[in-house]
């Protein structure tokens, strides 16, 4: 009789038949061995030792470059418990089908056992997972993204309180790729992909899909949110959490260099992708970042847009699917320099402009969080940081104004539930299609989203000092098709208004959808932007919103009677407010 951990590892080994099983301790010596193993695999290389010490480039299989949502399943006994927005398989059928693909999948390979902690080591909000994998790349990434090895095994001891995740690369054929979740059993199986959210099982699979299910059972929240602290003149820091869909700006907002730094406004990073939140003794919702690193989108990241990231990723960083220069330095579109001669694209071929982008649009860097110059002194606080504002947002070329404030928690929940955004390269499929993505959780909610909205409403009743809820849109375009708002470090101007609203100050103007900044509400000094652009950015067009209302009704109809009554109520209220402006 072994420990529950050993018993589960043995079971996984009996199914997958690896040549050897290695328990990872997380040490530096072990890491160097894993990285060498990754290099022997052939699709990885070391980068320039003097300018990028201890940095690696890994090229994934060209058909394995993003999350595959159509191959991701929630396996609850009842289909309706997964809900209309999730792919569903019954647990028995899923075990049979995916078990057949995992059977013998690790023959000739090493099975690495990665015990890991999600959340600060000594936090009561933290949880333990164990991933077994046959991919050295996954081990090296999990070492950056989580607290893994001995520290986790010591905390776990002989306890059975961990979420197991079984991962195998299989043959990397998308026809034999499945990412399946068993929320009742708190178990994850993934086969056929080595990429990001498909393979680093602590990230989207555990920290969001399984955790969201646990959070509803246990009265807390697991959200696809960054966590930041906004420092104001005088030094007071106010914490905010923001949910934007994949590749819509969380990392960049959380790690920005503030354009208002000379006025005393600075942004500190607590997390860039996921927030776990519980009501604290002080009556505020407290958030921890379950992760220990950032798996960020490389394209678009440069010294002008995000100097903090650029500084962080010069050492101990794994790059995935970026291009590489003749000097063995990573390169991507938007890095701020023209493509240098001798560039090799993400597939490993000599690049020229006829070959499309040199870096894959979903190319990523994996970097330890504490390497960011913007890392918050509170980022590992065991009790988490108190959240004063929630910010929803997405990519909307039209419709959504730069920023607006909801009327109250219930309305704010409706604003989150009716979010939509243009799709990005973070998931396979067409890019730029507007789709509904409630709370940026569409691909990550481990249960029926109608019940998820219900959980939000319940939490609102329980939190003595609930965060105020806002919505932002950095991606509104003008008639010329260009972004109206400069974004990045300038987004602090919007955060400043949000801070003022949290403190009950700031100029507002009421619209049918909520409050937008009133005259002089946004601090715009030092920014070259026309008054017309600002007017367009803050405009609420009743006709566009009427069309939006019809679309959200259709979306809500998918949930049938399971949709909380409050969501229909808010829908009707918005309709009435819009009607009044049209007739006024
Ligand atoms: P995931 O890691 O996929 O969850 O994404 P994320 O939400 O952290 O997105 P990220 O910050 O990495 O940004 C994705 C893309 O959006 C990058 O190409 C950025 O350069 C771009 N981006 C981020 N913020 C802004 C902004 O304020 N304005 C504009 N125009 N682009 C932005
Ligand atoms: C996302 O797609 O939202 C990501 C990257 O943060 S992944 O780890 O692939 O999920
Ligand atoms: Mn994400």
């Amino acid at each position: 009789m072994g420990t529950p951990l050993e018993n589960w590892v043995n079971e996984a080994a009996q199914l997958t038949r690896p040549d050897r099983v290695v328990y990872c301790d997380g040490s530096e010596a072990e890491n160097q061995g894993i990285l060498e193993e990754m290099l022997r695999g052939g699709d990885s290389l070391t980068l320039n030792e003097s300018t990028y010490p201890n940095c690696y480039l890994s090229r994934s299989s060209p058909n394995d470059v993003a999350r595959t949502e159509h191959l991701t399943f929630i396996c609850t006994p009842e289909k309706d418990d997964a809900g209309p927005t999730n792919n569903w398989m019954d647990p028995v059928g899923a075990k049979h089908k995916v078990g057949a693909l995992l059977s013998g999948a690790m023959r000739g390979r090493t099975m690495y056992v990665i015990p890991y902690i999600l959340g600060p080591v000594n936090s009561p909000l933290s949880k333990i997972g164990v991933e077994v994998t046959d991919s050295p790349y996954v081990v090296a990434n999990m070492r950056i993204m989580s607290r893994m090895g001995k520290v986790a095994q010591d905390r776990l001891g002989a306890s059975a309180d961990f979420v197991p995740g079984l991962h195998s690369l299989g043959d990397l054929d998308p026809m034999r790729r499945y990412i399946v979740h068993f929320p009742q059993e708190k178990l994850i199986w993934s086969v056929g992909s080595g990429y990001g959210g498909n393979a680093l099982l602590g990230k989207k699979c555990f920290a969001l899909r399984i955790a969201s299910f646990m959070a509803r059972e246990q009265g807390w929240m697991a959200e696809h949110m960054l966590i930041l602290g906004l420092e104001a003149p005088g030094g007071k820091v106010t914490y905010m959490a923001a949910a934007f869909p994949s590749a819509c700006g969380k990392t960049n907002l959380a790690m920005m260099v503030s354009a208002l730094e000379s006025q005393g406004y600075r942004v500190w990073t607590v997390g860039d992708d996921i927030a776990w939140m519980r009501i604290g003794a002080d009556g505020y919702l407290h958030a921890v970042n379950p992760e220990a690193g950032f798996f960020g989108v490389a394209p678009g990241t440069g010294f002008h847009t995000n100097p903090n990231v650029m500084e962080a990723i010069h050492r101990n960083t794994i790059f995935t699917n970026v291009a590489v220069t003749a000097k063995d330095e990573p390169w991507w579109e938007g890095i701020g320099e023209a493509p240098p001669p001798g560039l090799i694209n993400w597939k490993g071929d000599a690049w020229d402009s006829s070959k499309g982008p040199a870096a894959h649009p979903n190319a990523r860097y994996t970097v330890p969080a504490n390497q960011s110059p913007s890392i918050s002194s509170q980022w590992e606080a065991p009790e988490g940081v108190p959240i004063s504002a929630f910010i929803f947002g997405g990519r909307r070329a039209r419709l959504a104004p730069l920023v607006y404030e909801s009327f109250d928690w219930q309305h704010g929940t409706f604003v989150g539930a009716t979010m939509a955004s243009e799709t990005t390269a973070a998931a396979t499929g067409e890019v730029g299609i507007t789709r509904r993505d409630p709370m940026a959780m569409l691909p990550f909610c481990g249960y029926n989203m109608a019940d998820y909205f219900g959980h939000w409403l319940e939490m609102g009743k329980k939190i003595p000092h609930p965060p105020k809820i806002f919505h932002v849109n950095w991606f509104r375009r003008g008639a010329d098709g260009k972004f109206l708002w400069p974004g990045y470090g300038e987004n602090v101007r919007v955060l400043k208004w949000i801070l003022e609203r949290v403190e009950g100050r700031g100029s507002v103007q009421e619209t049918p959808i909520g409050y937008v900044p009133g005259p002089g509400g946004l601090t715009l000094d030092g920014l070259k932007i026309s008054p017309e652009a600002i007017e367009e950015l803050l405009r609420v067009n009743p006709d566009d919103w009427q069309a939006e209302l019809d679309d959200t009704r259709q979306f809500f109809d998918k949930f049938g009677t399971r949709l909380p009554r409050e969501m229909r109520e808010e829908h009707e209220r918005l309709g009435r407010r819009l009607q009044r402006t049209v007739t006024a």
Side-chain angles (χ1 to χ4, degrees):
M1 276 298 287
T3 61
L5 166 65
E6 288 160 353
N7 293 343
W8 179 73
V9 169
N10 289 342
E11 247 176 68
Q14 258 157 37
L15 175 62
T16 57
R17 299 275 161 202
D19 281 11
R20 65 196 83 76
V21 177
V22 172
Y23 280 75
C24 298
D25 61 17
S27 66
E28 186 49 45
E30 173 186 87
N31 187 42
Q32 289 307 321
I34 301 271
L35 290 165
E36 274 162 33
E37 197 57 41
M38 186 173 96
L39 291 171
R40 269 195 292 277
D43 39 16
S44 303
L45 43 114
T46 45
L47 293 170
N48 190 311
E49 257 309 312
S50 54
T51 53
Y52 284 86
N54 199 28
C55 289
Y56 297 81
L57 161 60
S58 178
R59 297 188 182 115
S60 67
S61 164
N63 63 29
D64 188 28
V65 293
R67 285 181 297 101
T68 41
E69 294 178 359
H70 62 295
L71 303 174
T72 302
F73 292 80
I74 300 297
C75 307
T76 46
E78 298 295 325
K79 184 172 197 291
D80 206 35
D81 289 336
T85 60
N86 277 314
N87 300 311
W88 175 83
M89 263 195 264
D90 87 85
V92 177
K95 287 260 170 87
H96 190 77
K97 184 170 191 160
V98 182
L101 300 173
L102 284 166
S103 176
M106 294 193 191
R107 276 207 178 89
R109 301 179 190 173
T110 301
M111 173 193 271
Y112 300 97
V113 181
I114 313 165
Y116 61 93
I117 302 175
L118 291 183
V121 172
N122 292 318
S123 170
L125 284 87
S126 298
K127 300 207 172 291
I128 293 180
V130 178
E131 172 163 4
V132 300
T133 179
D134 52 10
S135 161
Y137 168 87
V138 165
V139 182
N141 276 271
M142 284 294 285
R143 185 166 186 273
I144 296 173
M145 296 305 295
S146 69
R147 286 106 177 150
M148 60 81 98
K150 186 173 182 305
V151 66
Q153 204 158 344
D154 286 351
R155 178 164 159 161
L156 180 64
S159 162
D161 191 10
F162 65 94
V163 171
L166 168 49
H167 170 254
S168 171
L169 294 169
D171 63 5
L172 291 178
D173 186 332
M175 297 303 288
R176 285 182 287 280
R177 178 179 301 164
Y178 289 97
I179 300 98
V180 294
H181 306 72
F182 305 91
Q184 274 83 3
E185 258 185 273
K186 308 204 178 9
L187 169 69
I188 305 152
W189 278 6
S190 168
V191 65
S193 168
Y195 192 84
N198 286 345
L200 311 176
L201 302 187
K203 203 169 172 50
K204 297 303 166 37
C205 299
F206 179 0
L208 286 179
R209 297 195 190 95
I210 298 290
S212 63
F213 184 92
M214 295 166 103
R216 176 164 175 257
E217 281 182 342
Q218 301 165 2
W220 52 284
M221 302 172 89
E223 300 295 333
H224 192 203
M225 289 182 175
L226 68 86
I227 310 162
L228 64 78
L230 177 63
E231 182 181 330
K236 184 175 173 221
V237 179
T238 302
Y239 294 93
M240 309 178 177
F244 310 156
S246 303
C248 289
K250 291 183 299 301
T251 304
N252 280 278
L253 190 68
M255 294 174 78
M256 77 152 82
V257 172
S258 155
L260 297 179
E261 202 164 308
S262 62
Q263 296 185 28
Y265 292 90
R266 264 192 92 132
V267 167
W268 298 103
T269 313
V270 177
D272 83 321
D273 197 45
I274 299 174
W276 282 2
M277 295 172 284
R278 221 178 255 279
I279 303 169
D282 58 2
Y284 283 85
L285 196 59
H286 280 243
V288 296
N289 174 8
E291 303 188 285
F294 306 129
F295 183 61
V297 176
T301 308
F303 279 104
H304 290 297
T305 57
N306 200 329
N308 279 332
V309 172
M310 292 307 285
E311 189 171 328
I313 59 181
H314 267 271
R315 57 203 150 95
N316 312 321
T317 300
I318 300 172
F319 295 88
T320 304
N321 294 337
V322 300
V324 62
T325 69
K327 287 194 220 155
D328 293 332
E329 294 182 340
W331 190 93
W332 50 79
E333 281 70 19
I335 199 168
E337 281 158 33
L343 195 63
I344 305 293
N345 75 7
W346 65 276
K347 290 181 177 167
D349 301 328
W351 179 81
D352 65 69
S353 56
S354 73
K355 289 211 173 96
H360 188 277
N362 193 35
R364 300 234 170 198
Y365 52 81
T366 318
V367 64
N370 60 13
Q371 286 187 197
S372 174
S374 63
I375 197 73
S376 161
S377 63
Q378 298 304 303
W379 88 280
E380 297 191 288
E383 70 285 5
V385 295
I387 301 295
S388 298
F390 275 156
I391 308 170
F392 293 122
R395 290 180 185 260
R396 299 301 299 264
R398 287 167 61 88
L399 194 81
L402 179 65
V403 57
Y404 64 102
E405 178 190 342
S406 65
F407 296 117
D408 53 32
W409 181 276
Q410 177 172 311
H411 176 234
T413 302
F414 171 81
V415 168
T418 54
M419 263 169 70
S421 191
E422 292 147 22
T423 51
T424 67
T428 57
E430 214 176 329
V431 167
I433 308 292
T434 303
R435 70 169 184 183
R436 309 236 70 94
D437 189 348
M439 281 86 169
M441 283 287 279
L442 180 78
F444 308 122
C445 184
Y447 60 101
N448 190 315
M449 279 201 119
D451 300 345
Y452 170 79
F453 303 149
H455 180 50
W456 265 79
L457 294 168
E458 281 310 303
M459 288 301 296
K461 290 178 201 151
K462 286 187 200 148
I463 309 168
H465 304 291
K468 279 195 168 208
I469 302 179
F470 299 81
H471 187 284
V472 299
N473 178 20
W474 315 139
F475 301 95
R476 194 149 169 173
R477 292 177 194 263
D480 60 359
K482 292 196 178 131
F483 291 130
L484 286 160
W485 180 247
Y488 300 103
E490 305 294 350
N491 292 335
V492 72
R493 299 171 190 275
V494 172
L495 297 183
K496 177 174 181 276
W497 182 76
I498 290 175
L499 173 65
E500 287 162 5
R501 295 303 300 146
V502 163
E503 294 180 343
R505 306 182 284 125
S507 153
V508 299
Q509 188 177 331
E510 187 170 342
T511 79
I513 64 166
Y515 302 109
V516 298
L522 285 176
T523 303
L524 296 172
D525 40 302
L527 183 64
K528 277 199 210 86
I529 190 165
S530 70
E532 295 75 37
I534 291 295
E535 199 183 311
E536 176 61 16
L537 277 163
L538 296 178
R539 202 157 62 91
V540 175
N541 179 335
D543 290 338
D544 289 351
W545 279 94
Q546 191 59 52
E548 181 76 358
L549 204 59
D550 295 341
D551 195 73
T552 49
R553 181 185 306 106
Q554 282 175 31
F555 179 67
F556 277 168
D557 283 347
K558 286 190 189 179
F559 298 97
T561 54
R562 209 151 161 159
L563 187 79
R565 156 190 67 74
E566 291 87 342
M567 292 295 95
R568 292 219 184 270
E569 227 171 74
E570 288 298 329
H571 188 272
E572 282 160 25
R573 283 185 194 159
L574 174 58
R576 283 199 296 272
R577 290 193 301 265
L578 285 168
Q579 213 51 51
R580 278 205 298 273
T581 19
V582 173
T583 51

